Amino acid sequence: MELKRIVLGVTGGVAAYKAAELARLMVKDGLDVQVVMTEAARHFVGAATFQAITGHPVFTDLWDERVDNGMAHIDLTRGAEAILVAPASADFMAKLAHGRADDLLSTLCLARDCPLLLAPAMNRQMWEAPPTQRNAAQLKADGVTLLGPASGEQACGEVGFGRMLAPEDLLEALDARFQPKRLSGLKVLITAGPTFEPIDAVRGITNSSSGKMGYAVARAALEAGAEVTLISGPTCLAPPREAKTVAVSSAQEMLAAVEAAADAADIFIGVAAVADYYVLNRSEQKIKKDAHILTLELAPNPDILANISSRPKPPFCVGFAAESENLEEYAELKRRRKHLPLIVANDVTEAVGADAVQLILLDEAGKHVLEQADKRTQARRLIAHIAQLYNTRYQ
Ligand code: PMT
């Protein structure tokens, strides 16, 4: 398969050192990365670093003799899927907003026939300054995509907007552009992670679901163009920036959050490992240790997915089933019992907390095996399958 080619532009700013990590992640993600630096960027990070990471020579000069026909400003973006400039300094944005082309990178940006994405990075006052805001607005109007900036502590010690987005976030945004917009215009509601059922003020019953699968599904739905609401039990993961995320703890809280969002949802995907029981005789105070046997009374939690799928006009409901034996048989039983058009079966001993997993999709047409792959890839495959079923049913 031919690699996707991306031109990574690096301009002069403290965040230029992060561009090296971004280049590394892009190469690891299977992209063919061509780095073009401005003169100013060379004061912050060396070309040799990028050359070693990408395996390609780095260009800065419009008149570089290494490009055969002297047409570096055109040749370097030939066949490129996108130009990503990270970091994009205030000065570089000003230059682009005015259509100036006085160095290789600005010339490439002006002479391109592919999308241009900028990751602004600068001091917060520079970002907030009216000329920069005018330039940002102009660039957006010109069809340029701005990724960030983020807010936080800056290299100068000040706090505010102007930080470059983290390399992982930039790669995610770039990747998202390449995904087909199969769920464009649809609202997708997703549950993820475990629930936590309190025993007393500090203790509780939970499970080892990490949230990785549910968050990956949320990201894949966003990439497919959906508006995503993610109802998450307690996890250590950073939620996708573009999702509306509602943090909950117990199954009762998850149910309330899902019910509040379900009316508007076109698709509901229950990835969460919801605790089957909650503690009836929960103590408000921390239970003191003594010599007696402690008995916990457990009562069944509401079934969130069944609750939604049994509505008179339910969204398109997708369940997950994690089983340790008779995987397909038990999952199919759950699918039928909960009236689901689709259920995703996975082996609980291999799926929980793992980065990669095999999934078996069970629907009216039968069984579809998604061979072992990382959860992001599986989530994308799952979203493609859901989109196909949804479109067949409703369009
Ligand atoms: O978070 P990770 O570490 O990445 O792990 C992912 C996972 C293994 C937890 C995930 O892939 C998965 O399989 N989730 C479903 C876990 C499960 O076994 O659920 P269940 O069989 O208890 O329930 C079946 C379906 O009903 C699920 O969609 C569940 O979200 C839903 N359900 C269950 C009980 C309940 N009270 N309410 C529900 O909505």
Side-chain angles (χ1 to χ4, degrees):
M1 194 180 73
E2 202 175 309
L3 294 181
K4 285 198 170 71
R5 182 174 158 81
I6 304 292
V7 172
L8 174 60
V10 184
T11 72
V14 186
Y17 77 93
K18 292 193 205 164
E21 171 63 0
L22 174 60
R24 189 188 71 78
L25 293 174
M26 288 165 79
V27 170
K28 190 169 163 228
D29 199 45
L31 298 172
D32 181 25
V33 183
Q34 172 62 63
V35 174
V36 176
M37 301 173 77
T38 61
E39 262 316 316
R42 286 176 173 266
H43 292 283
F44 293 91
V45 60
T49 306
F50 290 112
Q51 188 158 329
I53 292 171
T54 63
H56 292 302
V58 172
F59 292 89
T60 300
D61 185 359
L62 198 47
W63 311 110
D64 198 310
E65 286 173 1
R66 289 173 298 176
V67 180
D68 291 345
N69 57 2
M71 300 286 272
H73 66 294
I74 292 171
D75 275 11
L76 291 175
T77 49
R78 272 273 139 81
E81 298 280 340
I83 303 177
L84 168 61
V85 182
S89 65
D91 179 58
F92 192 73
M93 287 174 61
K95 200 185 267 195
L96 291 186
H98 291 90
R100 288 184 55 201
D102 60 0
D103 66 4
L104 178 57
L105 186 56
S106 54
T107 311
L108 282 173
C109 291
L110 197 61
R112 75 184 191 279
D113 62 357
C114 62
L116 173 60
L117 298 87
L118 303 182
M122 63 200 76
N123 164 271
R124 73 173 174 85
Q125 279 172 326
M126 286 175 91
W127 171 250
E128 285 160 11
T132 309
Q133 288 302 309
R134 274 201 305 276
N135 292 334
Q138 182 60 56
L139 287 165
K140 281 188 205 165
D142 292 345
V144 176
T145 302
L146 296 197
L147 306 171
S151 177
E153 194 174 334
Q154 304 202 297
C156 54
E158 294 180 10
V159 177
F161 274 96
R163 273 172 70 96
M164 188 171 92
L165 289 190
E168 296 78 8
D169 291 337
L170 290 175
L171 179 60
E172 194 178 306
L174 186 67
D175 247 359
R177 291 191 69 95
F178 300 137
Q179 302 307 315
K181 305 300 169 211
R182 296 180 163 107
L183 299 182
S184 184
L186 296 179
K187 292 192 169 74
V188 179
L189 174 62
I190 297 164
T191 63
T195 63
F196 181 90
E197 310 300 329
I199 295 171
D200 68 10
V202 286
R203 304 178 182 102
I205 298 172
T206 186
N207 60 67
S208 45
S209 165
S210 62
K212 286 177 190 170
M213 190 72 237
Y215 281 46
V217 173
R219 287 200 161 85
L222 283 166
E223 288 174 354
E227 199 178 301
V228 173
T229 301
L230 174 64
I231 315 279
S232 175
T235 75
C236 300
L237 305 177
R241 277 181 309 114
E242 289 158 32
K244 178 181 175 216
T245 305
V246 183
V248 297
S249 185
S250 67
Q252 298 277 357
E253 285 175 25
M254 189 173 272
L255 173 65
V258 167
E259 281 186 330
D263 275 346
D266 300 295
I267 297 172
F268 173 43
I269 311 173
V271 193
V274 185
D276 289 326
Y277 295 92
Y278 72 100
V279 181
L280 259 183
N281 54 339
R282 160 191 179 179
S283 166
E284 290 304 319
Q285 304 303 326
K286 183 181 171 197
I287 299 171
K288 288 287 173 203
K289 187 170 96 176
D290 63 23
H292 293 96
I293 289 172
L294 176 67
T295 305
L296 295 179
E297 277 186 82
L298 302 179
N301 263 327
D303 191 311
I304 301 165
L305 185 56
N307 199 298
I308 301 300
S309 67
S310 63
R311 287 180 163 198
K313 278 190 171 175
F316 184 89
C317 288
V318 179
F320 267 69
E323 308 290 346
S324 60
E325 54 178 344
N326 304 328
L327 180 60
E328 289 172 39
E329 182 193 336
Y330 289 169
E332 179 63 12
L333 283 174
K334 270 183 197 168
R335 187 179 82 81
R336 287 170 190 267
R337 199 171 59 237
K338 299 193 189 197
H339 309 290
L340 307 173
L342 172 66
I343 199 159
V344 183
N346 50 188
D347 183 327
V348 71
T349 57
E350 289 170 8
V352 174
D355 290 327
V357 69
Q358 186 195 60
L359 300 178
I360 300 175
L361 314 188
L362 301 169
D363 58 23
E364 294 298 331
K367 149 181 165 183
H368 317 263
V369 179
L370 303 184
E371 291 302 346
Q372 178 95 357
D374 61 89
K375 286 185 174 173
R376 183 173 67 164
T377 304
Q378 296 297 52
R380 285 178 178 161
R381 291 171 174 169
L382 172 62
I383 288 297
H385 193 83
I386 291 172
Q388 193 199 336
L389 293 183
Y390 182 89
N391 288 334
T392 310
R393 182 176 282 210
Y394 295 108
Q395 278 164 16

